[in-house]
Amino acid sequence: MAGKLGGKVSKSSFREFGYQEVNLVQDCPLLKNLETNKSAIKTWTSHGDRVESIPENFSIFASSSNAPIAGMMDLEKKYFGLQFHPEVTHTEFGKEIIENFVNDICRCPKIWLAENIIKDHIEKIKRTVGSEKVLLGLSGGVDSSVVAVLLNEAIGDQLTCVFVDNGLLRLNEGDAVVDMFNKNLGVKVIRVDAQDKFFTALSGVDDPEQKRKIIGKTFIDVFNREASKIKNVHWLAQGTIYPDVIESADSSTGKAHVIKSHHNVGGLPKDMKLKLIEPLRNLFKDEVRKIGIELGLNQKIVNRHPFPGPGLGVRILGEVHKEYADILRKADAVFIEELERQGLYDQVSQAFAVFLPVRSVGVMGDGRSYDYVIALRAVETVDFMTAKWSKLPFEFLDYVSTRIMNEVSGVSRVTYDISSKPPSTIEWE
C-alpha cells in the first residue's frame, strides 16, 4: 500500500520473524474497544522489509523497534495498513482488530457461519458435478474426511472414495480408515495396495519438492486406473485447504513464493484425465473442523491431528526406504499413544515423529549400537499459518524417548524440535 500510493519501502537491516511487540501511538478505528489500556500489543510478524515513509494524507498509529511504521491509516479513504499479522493465532487482539475492520469499517454482516458454508458448498457441488461421478482420494485425515462427508451429503451414491495404501501411512491406518467410513459412515470406500509402486517411484530421490511431486503424480496414476474401472467418473475430489494453496504459491494473486509444494496442489500432472473439485480450497483448518462437527462427524475424527498428503514421505528426510518408513511409523505410534494416554493429545494441535537419515552411536546392553535418530515435533496453533512449539513436560518426553529406544529396533537417539513457525515450517520437508 505504501509503495503503490507514494510512500517508500526498503529492505530492513534487521528482519522481524515471529514475536514482536508493537507500540500503539495514536487512536485508530482498528483498535476500537480492545480489552486493554496498554500502549503496546504482542504481535506475530514475518517480514524482511519495512515502510520508510508514508504516502500523503496517511498517519502512523503503530510502530515497533525495527519497523517505526508498523501501522498507518488514511481515515478519509478508510485505508489501513499493518506490518504485523492480525490474522494469525499468536497476535494479541488479532481477532478483534479484524472484527473492527470487517464489521465496523466495511459494515459486512456476520454470515460466515458453518451452516451457511455447508449449504453454499452443497449447492455449488451439485451445480458443478451434475449427474457425473466423483472419485475422492481418502486419507482418513481431517480434511479428506470432511470432504467425504460433505460430498456424500451433496451427491450420495455418485461418490466413490479410494483409499491408497502407499506404504507411507501411520501404523494400522488402512484398517482404521476403511472400517470408519464403510461401517460407521456409510461411505463407499475402495482400498488399493500400491506400496511397491510408491517405493519404486521414490527410489533414489532425496529432494523434498521432487518427492512431493512424485507422490502426487503416483496418486493420480492410481486414481486414473481406479477411475477407469468405474463408469462415468469425471471428477477427482481432494481435501486441499487454503494453507496448502498459499504455501504452494497457487493463490489467485499468483504472487506468492513457493514454501513447499503440497502434493495435491503442486504435484498434479497437466494431462490429468479427471476434472478437479476441491470444496475446502478457500478454508482454514479451524473452519474445516467446525464444518465437520456441523456435518455430524465424530469429535475424535474432527479433532485428529493433521497428516500430510505425502504421508511419511516428507517425514523421512532425504531418500525414502521401506525400512525407514517401518521404523518411523512405530516411533510415531508410541508418541501419539502416550499423548492420548497421558491426556496431552488435545493440548497440542499437531504432533508427529520425524526420521533422520543419520546414525548415532549408542549403548545397548554391553555392546555398541550405531542406529538412526528420531525427532519428535509438537506444535500449538489454530490456523496452521503460524505455530509455537509445544512445551510438553520433561517427564513425558523422557518416558516417550525411553519407550521408543526400547521398543523400536533401529533407533539409538531421540530429539525434540523447539522451532516455531515462522521461520520454520511445521513439517520438516
Side-chain angles (χ1 to χ4, degrees):
M1 189 183 293
K4 291 290 184 182
L5 299 180
K8 182 183 177 182
V9 180
S10 64
K11 292 290 182 184
S12 175
S13 58
F14 189 95
R15 300 180 301 171
E16 291 183 335
F17 290 100
Y19 170 79
Q20 188 68 37
E21 189 170 276
V22 168
N23 299 310
L24 309 178
V25 298
Q26 72 162 306
D27 291 339
C28 171
L30 288 180
L31 310 175
K32 177 185 172 184
N33 296 329
L34 298 190
E35 294 180 9
T36 178
N37 294 317
K38 294 183 290 186
S39 59
I41 57 173
K42 300 172 183 176
T43 72
W44 207 255
T45 59
S46 181
H47 63 97
D49 51 14
R50 69 182 189 180
V51 178
E52 296 289 355
S53 64
I54 57 176
E56 188 178 355
N57 296 325
F58 275 78
S59 60
I60 301 168
F61 67 86
S63 67
S64 68
S65 57
N66 296 294
I69 305 171
M72 66 179 192
M73 60 183 176
D74 181 333
L75 290 177
E76 183 180 338
K77 293 182 178 178
K78 297 184 179 179
Y79 289 172
F80 300 87
L82 299 176
Q83 185 67 81
F84 61 91
H85 289 260
E87 79 280 8
V88 301
T89 312
H90 305 303
T91 289
E92 189 178 26
F93 304 113
K95 182 180 178 182
E96 289 82 355
I97 290 171
I98 292 175
E99 282 183 347
N100 284 335
F101 180 71
V102 173
N103 299 144
D104 295 342
I105 296 170
C106 299
R107 300 191 180 281
C108 292
K110 294 184 178 182
I111 58 172
W112 190 249
L113 305 170
E115 59 265 31
N116 293 342
I117 296 172
I118 291 169
K119 182 181 177 182
D120 180 65
H121 279 59
I122 287 176
E123 290 174 357
K124 186 175 180 181
I125 290 166
K126 287 179 177 178
R127 287 197 310 269
T128 303
V129 171
S131 61
E132 294 174 339
K133 292 184 179 178
V134 179
L135 202 62
L136 168 65
L138 181 65
S139 69
V142 178
D143 304 329
S144 67
S145 297
V146 171
V147 170
V149 178
L150 187 62
L151 287 169
N152 194 53
E153 191 85 13
I155 58 174
D157 291 341
Q158 291 169 241
L159 171 67
T160 299
C161 295
V162 176
F163 176 79
V164 179
D165 189 344
N166 58 7
L168 302 170
L169 303 172
R170 289 170 283 201
L171 193 66
N172 302 321
E173 183 83 353
D175 294 338
V177 169
V178 173
D179 286 349
M180 176 174 62
F181 282 90
N182 272 344
K183 295 180 181 179
N184 300 326
L185 297 175
V187 178
K188 183 168 61 177
V189 181
I190 297 171
R191 182 173 181 175
V192 182
D193 186 350
Q195 295 185 48
D196 292 343
K197 187 176 180 68
F198 278 86
F199 283 121
T200 299
L202 289 166
S203 178
V205 179
D206 59 9
D207 179 75
E209 283 294 292
Q210 270 191 280
K211 289 196 294 183
R212 287 176 175 273
K213 290 177 179 178
I214 287 170
I215 291 169
K217 183 182 183 305
T218 307
F219 264 112
I220 298 303
D221 290 344
V222 173
F223 290 144
N224 281 335
R225 187 183 67 201
E226 293 304 317
S228 67
K229 301 175 185 177
I230 308 169
K231 292 182 179 180
N232 200 32
V233 171
H234 292 86
W235 294 90
L236 169 66
Q238 294 193 135
T240 306
I241 63 173
Y242 197 52
D244 301 340
V245 176
I246 295 172
E247 291 185 336
S248 300
D250 197 41
S251 62
S252 58
T253 65
K255 295 179 180 178
H257 292 281
V258 176
I259 297 171
K260 56 184 179 181
S261 293
H262 290 260
H263 85 286
N264 49 355
V265 179
L268 302 178
K270 293 179 181 179
D271 61 348
M272 187 176 71
K273 298 176 183 178
L274 301 176
K275 292 178 285 186
L276 196 61
I277 183 167
E278 299 170 310
L280 310 180
R281 186 180 176 87
N282 293 320
L283 301 177
F284 287 92
K285 182 71 72 173
D286 56 320
E287 294 172 318
V288 173
R289 293 190 196 281
K290 290 175 183 176
I291 288 172
I293 292 171
E294 188 73 22
L295 285 167
L297 272 173
N298 186 287
Q299 286 272 3
K300 189 171 183 180
I301 299 172
V302 173
N303 293 324
R304 193 179 192 196
H305 292 176
F307 189 66
L312 303 183
V314 291
R315 292 179 178 174
I316 296 170
L317 302 195
E319 189 175 352
V320 175
H321 297 284
K322 186 178 186 303
E323 176 199 0
Y324 297 171
D326 290 339
I327 290 172
L328 179 56
R329 81 178 97 250
K330 291 175 184 176
D332 186 76
V334 170
F335 187 26
I336 300 303
E337 179 185 313
E338 286 302 328
L339 283 169
E340 291 176 335
R341 190 178 70 83
Q342 298 192 36
L344 295 169
Y345 186 83
D346 292 332
Q347 293 182 30
V348 299
S349 307
Q350 187 171 0
F352 55 91
V354 178
F355 180 92
L356 307 186
V358 294
R359 291 180 182 270
S360 175
V361 174
V363 178
M364 296 288 182
D366 295 327
R368 173 186 182 272
S369 66
Y370 191 52
D371 289 320
Y372 296 107
V373 180
I374 291 289
L376 303 180
R377 175 81 156 141
V379 298
E380 297 171 11
T381 181
V382 172
D383 52 28
F384 288 84
M385 295 305 297
T386 62
K388 289 183 177 179
W389 64 276
S390 183
K391 296 172 178 59
L392 294 172
F394 289 156
E395 295 79 6
F396 169 82
L397 294 172
D398 180 27
Y399 186 74
V400 169
S401 172
T402 301
R403 272 200 64 187
I404 289 173
M405 287 187 288
N406 282 339
E407 299 175 25
V408 183
S409 178
V411 178
S412 67
R413 195 173 296 269
V414 175
T415 67
Y416 188 57
D417 182 353
I418 59 168
S419 309
S420 292
K421 176 185 180 180
S424 298
T425 55
I426 294 176
E427 297 287 347
W428 278 43
E429 287 193 340

